[in-house]
Amino acid sequence: MAASSASVPATLPAKRKRAPVSRYIDDADLERVDDSAYGSGSDVEADEVEDEELPDGDSVYGSRKKSSKTNTRKSKAKKRSKFTPSRPKKPQKPFEFMSLPAELRDYIYELALVDPERITVVSKTKAYRRTVARGAISDNGNGFYSGRSRGYHRRRYINLDDDEDVDESQEPELDPKQLIPALLAVNKQIRAEATGYLYQQSIILEDTMALHTFLAAIGPANRPQVTDLTIRAWGTGRGTHKAMNVAALTLLSTCTSLKSFNLDCEIGWLREPKNLARQLYRDGHYFFEAYGAANGNKDAAVEVLALNEWNFDRDHYYNYRKSASQLPQPEEFKVKFQTELRKLLGC
C-alpha cells in the first residue's frame, strides 16, 4: 500500500482558461481609434513615447507614433498650465480701530495730530482765496517784529537775502512733523475724541491777518477747542493790516477756552501804560467781554494775556515823545497797564 500510494502522482489544479489575445492590430482598427483615447486610457503618455519605429510584431497596444502637430499642441497646453493665475485671496477683514483700548487710541491721536515743536501758521493765497498753511516764521533779528511793512517780513520768511551771513556751525532746521488731520473725518466718534489733540496745542500765527483767517477756517465748532495762541506781528499803518486787528480779536471772542494768549510783538509805538491798555481795549473789547462772561469773571482775559517785554522796555525811548525817565520800570508798567485794562472792563 505504501509503495502504490507513492507511485500515484498528486493531482494538479486546473488551469484558468483565458480568451486568446491577439498582439497584432489591423490597419483598419488603428484608423478607428481616436487620438484622445491614447492620452487618457493608456499607461504610457503620448509625450513619453519615443519618436521611433517599432519592429513588426513588437508594437505595443495603445502606443504609436504621434504626429508633431499633436505633440506641439500638448506641450503648449503644459506651458500654459504653469502660468495659470492663482485663486484670488479671501478679502481681509477691516481693522477694528474702535475696539482698541482708549489709552492706545489716545496715543495714536497724539502721534498723528500733535507737533512737539509747536505749529506755526502763515497766510497763503490758494485759488484766489485767502487761507493759511503751516510754514516757518522768522523775526527781524531782535526776537520780535518791529512793525515794518509786510513785504519785508515775507522776504525774511523765504530768505531771499543771499548776502546774509550764515552760521555753518548751526544745525539745519528740520522739516516740521507731518500731521494727519484727515483722521478726524473717519467718523464722529474719532472726531469727538481727537479734535482736542489738534487744537489744544501751542499754535503760533504770523500776524493778526493769519489769526483772522485761521479762526474763520476752523469754524465756530472748533474755536472753543483752541487753548494756546501766539501772535508774532501786530497790524500797523492805515490799510488792511491794521483793520485786521479788530476783525481777528472779534472772531477770537468765541475761543472761550483760551489758557494763554501771547502778543509776542510790538503793539505800535512805545507809549504810557494807560494808552497801551486803551489801544488793546479799543481793538479787542469783544474778546475781553465775551471771555469774561464765559468764565464768570470780567477781567478773566487779563490773566491769560501776555505781552512782549519790548512794550515795557524804557530803552526804546526813541519811539517815545517824552523822556524815557518819565516811563515807569517794567514791573510797575505791567501793573499800571493791567489796572487800566481792568478799569475799562468795569471791574
Side-chain angles (χ1 to χ4, degrees), residues 158-166:
I158 58 181
N159 297 325
L160 291 179
D161 190 1
D162 296 332
D163 297 331
E164 187 177 357
D165 296 335
V166 178

Side-chain angles (χ1 to χ4, degrees), residues 2-22:
S4 61
S5 60
S7 61
V8 177
T11 305
L12 296 176
K15 294 184 178 180
R16 184 166 58 90
K17 295 182 179 181
R18 297 182 181 181
V21 179
S22 176

Side-chain angles (χ1 to χ4, degrees), residues 21-320:
V21 179
S22 176
R23 297 180 57 86
Y24 299 97
I25 302 174
D26 296 337
D27 293 337
D29 296 335
L30 289 175
E31 292 178 358
R32 291 194 299 270
V33 176
D34 189 5
D35 291 341
S36 60
Y38 295 108
S40 57
S42 175
D43 295 335
V44 181
E45 292 292 335
D47 293 337
E48 295 177 359
V49 177
E50 295 181 358
D51 189 10
E52 62 182 3
E53 295 182 358
L54 296 177
D56 295 337
D58 293 336
S59 59
V60 181
Y61 177 79
S63 63
R64 69 184 179 117
K65 184 178 179 180
K66 300 294 180 180
S67 63
S68 60
K69 186 175 182 180
T70 305
N71 293 337
T72 304
R73 183 171 61 253
K74 292 204 171 188
S75 62
K76 287 183 179 181
K78 283 189 176 183
K79 289 182 180 179
R80 285 196 299 269
S81 63
K82 294 181 180 179
F83 300 99
T84 303
S86 59
R87 295 180 179 179
K89 296 181 180 180
K90 295 181 179 179
Q92 297 181 355
K93 294 182 179 180
F95 179 71
E96 297 181 359
F97 178 79
M98 302 310 301
S99 63
L100 295 175
E103 296 80 3
L104 187 55
R105 293 202 306 270
D106 292 342
Y107 180 69
I108 295 174
Y109 296 150
E110 185 176 357
L111 292 177
L113 301 173
V114 177
D115 188 352
E117 301 297 330
R118 299 185 296 182
I119 296 178
T120 55
V121 180
V122 297
S123 298
K124 296 288 185 180
T125 302
K126 183 177 182 180
Y128 304 102
R129 302 177 63 181
R130 293 189 182 275
T131 183
V132 290
R134 297 180 65 191
I137 301 178
S138 303
D139 53 37
N140 62 0
N142 297 325
F144 54 87
Y145 288 106
S146 59
R148 298 189 182 183
S149 64
R150 184 180 178 84
Y152 169 79
H153 294 301
R154 294 299 296 176
R155 290 194 296 271
R156 299 287 298 189
Y157 299 150
I158 58 181
N159 297 325
L160 291 179
D161 190 1
D162 296 332
D163 297 331
E164 187 177 357
D165 296 335
V166 178
D167 188 0
E168 298 180 356
S169 62
Q170 293 182 352
E171 296 182 359
E173 295 184 0
L174 300 177
D175 294 335
K177 177 183 176 181
Q178 186 69 29
L179 303 182
I180 311 175
L183 180 64
L184 302 177
V186 176
N187 57 42
K188 293 182 179 180
Q189 183 176 350
I190 292 180
R191 183 177 182 85
E193 294 177 352
T195 301
Y197 285 89
L198 180 61
Y199 296 111
Q200 293 176 8
Q201 58 182 315
S202 181
I203 301 175
I204 304 175
L205 297 118
E206 179 184 13
D207 51 17
T208 53
M209 179 175 286
L211 173 63
H212 178 271
T213 309
F214 170 74
L215 295 177
I218 65 175
N222 295 320
R223 291 173 200 162
Q225 300 282 349
V226 179
T227 58
D228 190 349
L229 290 177
T230 300
I231 310 300
R232 297 298 305 275
W234 190 258
T236 58
R238 298 181 179 180
T240 307
H241 302 294
K242 185 176 181 179
M244 277 297 170
N245 299 335
V246 180
L249 294 181
T250 301
L251 282 182
L252 193 65
S253 61
T254 55
C255 299
T256 54
S257 300
L258 271 178
K259 297 180 180 179
S260 176
F261 182 46
N262 184 16
L263 296 177
D264 188 20
C265 55
E266 168 194 351
I267 304 175
W269 303 105
L270 185 63
R271 64 194 74 187
E272 293 180 352
K274 290 184 178 181
N275 294 334
L276 180 60
R278 291 170 183 174
Q279 175 67 46
L280 285 177
Y281 180 76
R282 182 164 52 249
D283 291 341
H285 62 90
Y286 289 110
F287 162 68
F288 292 122
E289 294 172 356
Y291 188 86
N295 291 273
N297 191 2
K298 289 184 178 181
D299 63 343
V302 181
E303 302 297 333
V304 300
L305 179 64
L307 300 181
N308 187 284
E309 294 293 336
W310 188 93
N311 296 285
F312 309 132
D313 192 355
R314 296 194 308 172
D315 294 338
H316 296 83
Y317 68 90
Y318 57 86
N319 288 332
Y320 188 59

